[in-house]
């Protein structure tokens, strides 16, 4: 279908839209008194007050999309309990204070996973509700991409475009179809300017990291353009086997830590301007949807019988209390009422009491929290959630004490670690405990055995794709001398770091790529050639670099300096394709000793001082656009007590004035008296955060 026909359809769709009817919002008590049912399959559990047929269709669609996406992508979803989805009508969604502009949303976090959806008994009948269904499937595909054993970072445009593409799933005529744009949502019209030209702006699209967060009409129009561009780009790259191969190669390069520009150049063999032209031609000349045969020789869709059962008010309240607070502010009236109603309806349920306590953390002292959780553990012994909560409280306090340089934190760390272990033993599927234990090992690497730290961090990164957790995992693998897994972890740390606030992670990545190359080489007249396509130019002894030489990768990263016994050793210069550079000492293959770092565009400008594994460690001076910080560094983060000198007058950002105050917890504890609160000081001090800010941030 051509863009002109799409635009005509969009105009008709807008004309047919129904105005919202004015209705009184029901109370939460009314919501809980509805007739609730549960419809479940092997992988999904829909709890709803809507008709059974709606929940059945949701389960069928989700099971089909899960199977088809995994099968065609060659992926495997991680095992776990069925995904719980609270599906409610729009009036009840308002009563629960769910966001009005969301049709559905999924959550994957240290709390596990869950979803909410706005539905009705005509969800699959009208054009408007079909849009809601597509949005819900779109959001589920985001979850599907994230909940995977492999830590794959998906660029924003790719993630949105793929989810738009897969959510167009239609099953008809013995096939599963994708990419049918005959039923669109009016977004395409925003791609055409007043001259009638189509703008794809792939350079802008590919480098975006999110949508506009404002609620203005301009923001909404721009977001509509982003969705349309991403959908058309994925549609284009799925149109031929060669383009699909290029797209897969692009994703591999991106996850190897290459910059967006380099990944595009090497995978697509086109400039952004050429990509714009290719997309424009593809859209204007007509786009074909893609179909897959259903059956034993094609897509053998899952066969299952959905189980349906009514659930009583107490059970419905327990589900609502478990799911809804994940999607609405913790201080909202709906959350407070749900917690109270849940405690009244389920007075003997440990989860009800644990949730109530969790929502008070931050409003009571650590001692009060410990007393409350200890009392609950006496009442509900060996409960996994309470054990994990107890560990969280102890770990948070220990990390804060350790960061300020105070003594006595070791006991709390040991107790927290043991409680996390007990929580995991009590419940094998335990994202909270694994995430807490992983965060503890990231903050306190000496907390326990290396293998346990690796297991905890590896599991924690499933639920939180945090660059800091991946970097901690890389460091643990380096301590074990497992360079292969350290490389995989630091690749993820770089790929998931869309804010690019830790440029030394890029330098460690290049360092590890160099060491990986050195394990697989073949001779050439000027030196050595490596499996990755990189080359070494210089003297060789026994098939290994020896003396002064140069390692060069096709995308532009390089090392120039001394080699000994096949490893960088002595003085050398390591340069990333992003423009970051380390010049200084190397020992046993790693950038370690004394050196100078200069960084590409960003907040940080340079660092000079002690270095370990291409990361500031020891005494040094960090220079940023905001000023100069001299002090002690640990794992790239400044310790308390450093000396900060602001940039010259007129060049200092406003937030740096706050950063100068953030020198110790005592200095920022005066928030109640009109000073700067710890949370605000640490937030505004970035990137010149003293070490204790890490504790405050938790």
């Amino acid at each position: 279908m051509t863009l002109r026909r799409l635009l005509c359809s969009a105009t008709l769709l807008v004309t047919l839209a129904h105005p919202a009817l004015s209705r009184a919002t029901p109370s939460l008590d009314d919501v809980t008194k509805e007739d609730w049912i549960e419809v479940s399959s092997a992988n999904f559990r829909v709890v709803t007050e809507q008709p059974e047929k709606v929940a059945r269709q949701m389960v069928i669609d989700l099971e089909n999309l899960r199977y088809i996406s995994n099968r065609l992508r060659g992926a495997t979803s991680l095992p776990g309990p069925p995904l719980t989805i609270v599906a409610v009508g729009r009036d009840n969604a308002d009563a629960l204070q769910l966001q009005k502009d969301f049709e559905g949303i999924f959550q994957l976090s240290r709390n596990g996973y869950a979803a909410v959806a706005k539905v009705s008994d005509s969800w699959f009948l009208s054009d408007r509700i079909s849009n809601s269904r597509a949005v819900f499937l779109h959001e589920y595909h985001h979850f599907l991409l994230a909940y995977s054993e492999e830590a794959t970072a998906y660029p924003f445009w790719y993630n949105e475009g793929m989810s738009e593409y897969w959510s167009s799933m239609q099953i008809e005529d013995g096939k599963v179809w994708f990419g049918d744009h005959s039923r669109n949502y009016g977004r395409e019209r925003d791609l055409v300017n007043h001259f009638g030209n189509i703008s794809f702006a792939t350079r802008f699209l590919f480098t975006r990291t999110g949508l506009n967060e404002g609620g203005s009409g301009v923001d909404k129009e721009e977001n509509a353009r982003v969705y349309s561009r991403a959908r058309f780009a994925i549609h284009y790259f799925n149109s031929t086997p060669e383009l699909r191969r290029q797209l897969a190669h692009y994703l591999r390069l991106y996850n190897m830590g290459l910059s967006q520009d380099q990944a595009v150049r090497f995978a697509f063999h086109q400039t952004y301007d050429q990509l714009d032209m290719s997309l424009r031609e593809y859209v204007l000349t007509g786009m074909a949807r893609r179909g897959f045969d259903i059956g034993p020789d094609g897509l053998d869709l899952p066969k299952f019988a959905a189980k349906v059962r009514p659930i009583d008010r107490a059970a419905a309240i327990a589900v609502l209390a478990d799911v809804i607070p994940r999607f609405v502010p913790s201080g909202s009236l709906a959350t407070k009422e749900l917690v109270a109603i849940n405690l009244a309806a389920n007075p003997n349920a440990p989860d009800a009491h644990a949730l109530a306590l969790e929502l008070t953390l931050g409003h009571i002292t650590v001692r009060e929290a410990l007393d409350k959780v200890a009392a609950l553990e006496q009442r509900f012994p060996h409960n996994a959630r309470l054990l994990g909560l107890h560990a969280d409280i102890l770990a948070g306090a220990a990390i804060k004490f350790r960061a300020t340089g105070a003594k006595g934190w070791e006991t709390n760390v040991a107790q927290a670690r043991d409680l996390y272990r007990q929580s995991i033993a009590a419940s094998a599927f335990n994202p909270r405990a694994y995430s807490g234990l992983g965060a503890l090992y990231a903050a306190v690497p000496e907390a326990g055995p290396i293998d346990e730290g690796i297991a905890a961090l590896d599991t924690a990164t499933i639920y939180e794709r945090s660059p800091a957790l991946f970097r901690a995992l890389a460091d643990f693998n380096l301590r074990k001398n497992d360079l292969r897994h350290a490389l995989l972890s630091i690749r993820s740390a770089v790929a998931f770091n869309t804010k690019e606030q830790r440029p030394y992670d890029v330098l460690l990545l290049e360092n590890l790529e160099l060491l990986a190359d050195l394990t697989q080489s073949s001779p050439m007249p000027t030196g050595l050639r490596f499996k990755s396509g990189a080359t070494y130019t210089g003297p060789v002894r026994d098939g290994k670099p020896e003396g002064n030489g140069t390692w060069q990768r096709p995308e532009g990263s390089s090392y120039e300096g001394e080699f000994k016994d096949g490893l960088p050793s002595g003085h050398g210069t390591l340069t990333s394709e992003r423009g970051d550079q380390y010049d200084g000492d190397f020992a046993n293959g790693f950038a370690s000793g004394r050196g100078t770092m200069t960084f590409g565009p960003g907040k940080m400008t340079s660092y000079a001082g002690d270095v370990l594994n291409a990361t500031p460690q020891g005494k040094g001076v960090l220079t940023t656009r905001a000023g100069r910080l001299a002090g002690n560094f640990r794992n790239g983060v400044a310790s308390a007590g450093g000396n900060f000198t602001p940039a010259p007058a007129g060049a200092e950002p406003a937030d740096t004035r706050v950063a100068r105050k953030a020198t110790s917890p005592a200095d920022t504890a005066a928030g109640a008296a009109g000073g700067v609160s710890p949370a605000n000081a640490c937030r505004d001090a970035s990137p010149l955060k003293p070490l204790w800010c890490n504790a405050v941030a938790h």
Side-chain angles (χ1 to χ4, degrees):
M1 173 174 284
T2 65
L3 189 63
R4 290 188 184 87
R5 289 181 61 193
L6 284 171
L7 295 175
C8 292
S9 302
T11 304
L12 180 60
L13 182 64
V14 172
T15 304
L16 294 176
H18 299 291
L21 298 178
S22 178
R23 294 180 293 265
T25 301
S27 68
L28 270 182
D29 189 58
D30 293 334
V31 173
T32 61
K33 291 177 179 177
E34 297 269 15
D35 293 329
W36 291 85
I37 61 170
E38 176 186 282
V39 179
S40 60
S41 64
N43 299 297
F44 302 97
R45 173 193 181 213
V46 177
V47 176
T48 184
E49 47 18 339
Q50 296 295 306
E52 178 185 321
K53 64 177 182 180
V54 174
R56 280 185 178 276
Q57 189 61 52
M58 289 183 75
V59 168
I60 292 170
D61 274 349
L62 291 168
E63 286 284 4
N64 284 338
L65 184 55
R66 180 181 187 273
Y67 165 80
I68 294 167
S69 179
N70 284 343
R71 169 75 184 279
L72 297 180
R73 292 185 300 113
T76 302
S77 293
L78 287 168
L83 169 63
T84 297
I85 303 158
V86 171
V88 294
R90 297 185 179 277
D91 289 348
N92 287 341
D94 290 342
L96 293 167
Q97 295 185 342
L98 298 175
Q99 285 188 245
K100 291 185 179 296
D101 55 347
F102 281 168
E103 302 294 340
I105 185 169
F106 290 74
Q107 184 210 54
L108 177 65
S109 71
R110 70 190 313 272
N111 294 322
Y113 43 71
V116 293
K118 297 178 187 177
V119 297
S120 74
D121 58 357
S122 59
W123 195 35
F124 303 97
L125 302 180
S126 73
D127 288 337
R128 185 181 180 205
I129 304 303
S130 292
N131 178 18
S132 298
R133 171 181 176 268
V135 170
F136 184 71
L137 294 180
H138 171 115
E139 295 300 329
Y140 172 62
H141 200 263
H142 284 316
F143 171 86
L144 199 57
L145 290 177
Y147 192 55
S148 171
E149 186 173 0
E150 292 188 2
T152 303
Y154 297 97
F156 175 75
W157 76 271
Y158 181 102
N159 202 337
E160 294 299 335
M162 274 293 185
S163 295
E164 287 279 282
Y165 186 80
W166 289 101
S167 66
S168 66
M169 177 183 71
Q170 292 175 284
I171 300 176
E172 58 186 20
D173 302 328
K175 289 180 178 288
V176 179
W177 297 94
F178 294 97
D180 183 357
H181 288 274
S182 62
R183 292 191 295 190
N184 66 88
Y185 320 127
R187 291 170 174 163
E188 288 79 5
R189 67 180 183 277
D190 294 311
L191 291 180
V192 180
N193 61 27
H194 57 282
F195 295 110
N197 298 322
I198 306 171
S199 172
F200 285 103
T202 51
R203 178 187 297 276
F204 177 68
L205 173 67
F206 284 18
T207 54
R208 283 193 73 126
T209 59
L211 295 169
N212 288 3
E213 295 183 357
S216 69
V218 173
D219 288 323
K220 291 179 180 179
E221 287 179 7
E222 179 54 34
N223 290 342
R225 280 190 286 269
V226 170
Y227 279 121
S228 293
R229 288 166 177 157
R231 181 168 69 253
F232 284 136
I234 291 298
H235 205 292
Y236 164 72
F237 284 115
N238 271 288
S239 61
T240 71
E242 172 58 23
L243 287 173
R244 288 194 289 274
R245 187 197 66 78
Q246 290 181 15
L247 186 63
H249 186 44
Y250 159 81
L251 192 60
R252 282 194 297 270
L253 293 175
Y254 183 83
N255 277 271
M256 289 177 64
L258 266 68
S259 65
Q260 187 70 252
D261 290 346
Q262 291 285 53
V264 167
R265 182 165 71 90
F266 279 93
F268 301 145
H269 311 295
Q270 297 185 70
T271 66
Y272 286 114
D273 288 341
Q274 289 170 332
L275 274 174
D276 288 345
M277 293 178 62
S278 298
L279 273 169
R280 190 176 298 114
E281 181 181 0
Y282 176 71
V283 171
L284 288 176
T285 57
M287 302 180 297
R289 62 178 183 166
R290 190 177 175 202
F292 300 88
D293 290 331
I294 297 175
D297 297 327
L299 293 175
D300 196 9
L301 298 182
K303 299 174 179 62
F304 61 92
K307 299 178 182 177
V308 183
R309 70 180 183 93
I311 56 176
D312 61 24
R313 182 172 182 263
I317 290 171
V319 174
L320 291 172
D322 177 52
V323 173
I324 299 302
R326 308 183 195 206
F327 301 97
V328 299
S330 59
S332 69
L333 181 61
T335 296
K336 293 177 180 178
E337 287 188 17
L338 266 178
V339 169
I341 293 172
N342 191 29
L343 283 171
N346 299 287
N348 297 316
D351 281 355
H353 293 273
L355 174 63
L357 178 55
E358 287 165 1
L359 293 176
T360 66
L361 298 182
H363 303 286
I364 59 177
T365 66
V366 173
R367 173 47 53 198
E368 288 172 331
L370 288 173
D371 289 344
K372 287 178 180 292
V373 76
L376 288 174
E377 285 181 293
Q378 285 188 341
R379 182 178 175 187
F380 307 107
H382 312 300
N383 179 267
R385 184 166 180 174
L386 290 172
L387 289 166
L389 178 56
H390 193 166
D392 284 343
I393 298 168
L394 286 171
I399 292 170
K400 289 180 181 180
F401 274 132
R402 179 178 183 270
T404 59
K407 302 296 183 181
W409 52 266
E410 296 88 350
T411 300
N412 279 358
V413 166
Q415 290 177 350
R417 181 197 61 208
D418 291 343
L419 285 167
Y420 282 131
R421 290 172 175 172
Q422 293 176 44
S423 179
I424 292 168
S427 175
F429 180 79
N430 202 328
R432 294 169 188 263
Y434 273 112
S435 296
L437 186 59
L440 180 63
Y441 271 103
V444 189
E446 63 271 29
I450 292 177
D451 285 342
E452 182 178 73
I454 290 174
L457 285 162
D458 195 33
T459 307
T461 55
I462 293 173
Y463 303 98
E464 183 182 2
R465 304 300 198 186
S466 160
L469 290 179
F470 281 117
R471 173 58 197 259
L473 182 57
D475 289 339
F476 268 86
N477 282 309
L478 286 176
R479 287 171 60 188
K480 199 175 180 181
N481 201 30
D482 185 346
L483 298 187
R484 175 177 172 271
H485 285 100
L487 175 57
L488 293 175
S489 299
I490 199 65
R491 283 176 176 173
S492 293
V494 172
F496 280 97
N497 191 2
T498 57
K499 295 182 179 179
E500 300 183 357
Q501 292 179 333
R502 292 170 57 97
Y504 29 84
D505 287 355
V506 176
L507 289 171
L508 177 58
L509 170 62
E510 299 297 356
N511 199 158
L512 289 172
E513 295 286 7
L514 165 58
L515 294 177
D517 275 351
L518 292 172
T519 63
Q520 303 181 61
S521 64
S522 57
M524 67 177 192
T526 57
L528 299 170
R529 184 179 304 279
F530 305 106
K531 187 176 180 180
S532 68
T535 59
Y536 163 78
T537 303
V540 176
R541 188 176 72 184
D542 298 330
K544 299 177 181 179
E546 186 71 24
N548 286 305
T550 300
W551 167 80
Q552 182 78 44
R553 303 197 88 195
E555 71 276 6
S557 54
S558 65
Y559 168 83
E560 184 174 359
E562 298 177 72
F563 287 84
K564 183 178 180 181
D565 297 328
L567 296 174
S569 187
H571 184 271
T573 302
L574 181 69
T575 306
S576 80
E577 53 92 6
R578 298 170 183 243
D580 307 301
Q581 187 177 85
Y582 168 80
D583 182 74
D585 296 336
F586 281 78
N588 298 318
F590 287 94
S592 296
R594 295 280 298 178
T596 301
M597 297 178 178
T598 55
F599 307 122
K603 291 184 177 181
M604 296 185 186
T605 303
S606 65
Y607 169 83
D610 296 333
V611 173
L612 178 66
N613 295 340
T615 304
Q617 181 81 9
K619 292 184 178 180
V621 177
L622 175 68
T623 304
T624 77
R625 291 182 300 174
R628 180 178 179 273
L629 178 65
N632 289 306
F633 291 79
R634 183 164 61 192
N635 296 328
V637 180
S639 302
N643 182 26
F644 176 71
T645 304
E652 179 189 5
D655 61 358
T656 307
R657 292 191 291 274
V658 177
R660 288 205 304 276
K661 298 180 182 179
T663 56
S664 72
D667 291 339
T668 58
V676 182
S677 72
N680 289 341
C682 290
R683 179 196 65 204
D684 297 336
S686 178
L688 301 178
K689 289 185 178 180
L691 183 61
W692 57 265
C693 283
N694 290 345
V696 175
H698 285 75

